[in-house]
Amino acid sequence: QTNGRQPARRTRRIAPPNRRMAAMEAVETTQMAEDVDEMQQEEEGQASYYHVVELEQHGVSHQDCQKLAAAGFCTVQSIAYATMKSLCAVKGISDSKATKLKEIAYKLVPCTFVTASEELQQRQSMIVLSTGSKELDKLLEGGIETGSLTELYGEFRTGKTQLCHTLCVTAQLPLDQGGGEGKAMYIDTEGTFRPQRLQAIAERYGVDPGCVLENVVYARAHNSEQQKELLKQACALMSEDRFSLLVVDSATALYRTDYMGRGELSERQMQLAQFLRALTRMSAEFGIAVVLTNQVVANPDGMAFAKDATKPIGGNIIAHASHTRLQFKKARGENRVCKVIDSPSIAESEASFSVGAAGIDDAKD
């Protein structure tokens, strides 16, 4: 206030009604676009892969995309991870086409270095699936890890198949309940899959048994070639829907019977290695937890003086392919013992759990 005069006030111009309406509509449109972008980013974050039809926007014909999908290359990631030899083996894909596919795939899926801090952030957001037992989850630092292979081996009646059935239910639970919010896939090679077990486990967790059964897809493999071929169908299903678990029970039984004697040992190990490599690729490609069971044989090395009377079959091939190896042993009554044999992050230790009508649970006193 100077010389008795009021200070000058800024006047705000009021836009005409039609202009205000247009501005409000523009803001709403922008907000809707941002919401759509966020939803797409969330979906991409959940999916973390591109379907093979994405290549059509980069000059690849629809027929070639169909040929690739039929051969098991259902995502752009699978093409980026594949070798030129395997791409050229697809009928109708020449060397020049394979080279072009690899160039496009590397643009969409950059294969480059990242810092350790970025990798740490990614691993901290990794989903783990509850086993149904608190002690077992504690041993495994939360549960079965997604994006990796977990091998379960042990004698008969040690709870391997029961854990696989329990995981088929927990994989469908919400994230805050130790689930993966996805479907489960079960490849059975020994005829031990029982849907009624899933119903009992679903009732334990208070979820609809019918919905649980609908969200588990099942296939029976009768020979090792069919077992390997089923992975192509698995990739096709996973590229169309959200899965969080793939179970192979057991991974080695058919290879053990299809290849007999030392004369076929080399061929068996090579075929088994290719099967395990495909599982490793799928775990990274779709972000699923791959759980495979393994049989054991008598360990003749130390006979009565050996620490373990049995050892898992498959040799070093399956030992190197598995990220986490768990040994199951019998204990008193319904109780079982799980021992961590090999893991990149978990120390060698043990935990007790029980096997009951409702799957895997805490150990009984």
Side-chain angles (χ1 to χ4, degrees):
Q1 181 174 341
T2 54
N3 300 327
R5 290 184 296 180
Q6 295 290 335
R9 295 181 180 178
R10 293 183 179 179
T11 58
R12 185 176 62 181
R13 294 183 180 180
I14 300 176
N18 55 350
R19 191 178 298 176
R20 288 205 306 272
M21 290 291 292
M24 290 173 63
E25 289 177 358
V27 171
E28 290 178 358
T29 304
T30 305
Q31 186 65 39
M32 288 174 62
E34 290 177 355
D35 292 342
V36 170
D37 289 341
E38 288 179 2
M39 289 174 62
Q40 289 177 347
Q41 289 175 3
E42 288 179 1
E43 290 176 358
E44 289 175 1
Q46 292 176 354
S48 73
Y49 57 84
Y50 295 99
H51 197 278
V52 70
V53 296
E54 184 77 17
L55 297 175
E56 294 182 21
Q57 301 181 12
H58 298 269
V60 181
S61 66
H62 180 67
Q63 291 76 11
D64 287 341
C65 289
Q66 287 183 324
K67 293 175 183 176
L68 290 167
F73 298 101
C74 300
T75 65
V76 178
Q77 277 79 354
S78 64
I79 296 172
Y81 301 156
T83 61
M84 288 289 292
K85 180 181 177 181
S86 59
L87 287 176
C88 293
V90 180
K91 187 176 181 180
I93 302 298
S94 61
D95 290 347
S96 58
K97 282 185 178 180
T99 303
K100 180 183 176 183
L101 287 169
K102 294 289 282 186
E103 291 175 355
I104 298 172
Y106 282 145
K107 289 179 181 178
L108 294 174
V109 186
C111 298
T112 183
F113 288 96
V114 296
T115 63
S117 60
E118 292 174 334
E119 180 66 16
L120 177 62
Q121 289 180 358
Q122 185 174 356
R123 297 209 66 83
Q124 286 176 340
S125 62
M126 193 79 69
I127 297 172
V128 290
L129 307 180
S130 174
T131 61
S133 168
K134 294 179 181 177
E135 285 298 317
L136 195 51
D137 285 346
K138 184 179 178 181
L139 173 71
L140 301 176
E141 297 182 351
I144 301 296
E145 189 179 61
T146 56
S148 65
L149 267 67
T150 301
E151 177 196 353
L152 318 175
Y153 76 86
E155 297 178 348
F156 65 96
R157 274 191 72 241
T158 52
K160 303 186 299 296
T161 298
Q162 299 306 318
L163 177 56
C164 294
H165 281 70
T166 304
L167 289 171
C168 285
V169 178
T170 60
Q172 304 177 38
L173 297 176
L175 297 179
D176 57 359
Q177 296 181 26
E181 294 184 355
K183 294 184 176 182
M185 183 176 292
Y186 203 110
I187 298 177
D188 183 12
T189 66
E190 297 181 332
T192 54
F193 179 76
R194 296 293 182 269
Q196 55 268 33
R197 298 288 295 152
L198 300 182
Q199 291 179 315
I201 299 169
E203 291 172 357
R204 166 192 167 187
Y205 283 97
V207 293
D208 183 18
C211 292
V212 167
L213 294 179
E214 286 295 325
N215 288 329
V216 177
V217 294
Y218 162 80
R220 175 74 190 273
H222 297 277
N223 59 65
S224 57
E225 293 178 358
Q226 186 183 14
Q227 179 178 331
K228 187 177 178 181
E229 194 69 21
L230 282 172
L231 294 188
K232 294 181 181 179
Q233 300 179 31
C235 288
L237 289 171
M238 290 183 181
S239 65
E240 300 292 342
D241 210 340
R242 163 65 183 160
F243 282 80
S244 59
L245 173 69
L246 169 61
V247 172
V248 185
D249 184 23
S250 89
T252 53
L254 296 177
Y255 288 97
R256 193 177 183 181
T257 54
D258 289 354
Y259 299 90
M260 304 292 290
R262 290 187 176 274
E264 294 183 328
L265 180 60
S266 176
E267 178 67 16
R268 184 192 81 173
Q269 292 300 87
M270 184 182 71
Q271 294 296 332
L272 180 59
Q274 291 180 0
F275 177 75
L276 294 171
R277 178 67 189 92
L279 290 178
T280 304
R281 191 199 75 190
M282 291 173 64
S283 68
E285 191 177 331
F286 300 105
I288 58 172
V290 176
V291 177
L292 51 95
T293 64
N294 192 6
Q295 297 180 343
V296 295
V297 293
N299 185 11
D301 296 340
M303 300 303 288
F305 303 102
K307 183 186 295 186
D308 292 315
T310 60
K311 64 177 181 179
I313 68 172
N316 292 327
I317 293 294
I318 194 167
H320 290 304
S322 302
H323 298 104
T324 303
R325 302 193 87 185
L326 305 177
Q327 181 186 21
F328 283 16
K329 296 181 289 186
K330 296 175 185 176
R332 183 180 299 177
E334 297 179 352
N335 290 345
R336 304 291 186 268
V337 176
C338 174
K339 181 179 180 181
V340 177
I341 300 298
D342 180 37
S343 172
S345 58
I346 306 172
E348 185 175 319
S349 52
E350 296 181 350
S352 297
F353 64 95
S354 67
V355 178
I360 300 298
D361 207 340
D362 292 326
K364 307 297 182 184
D365 296 331

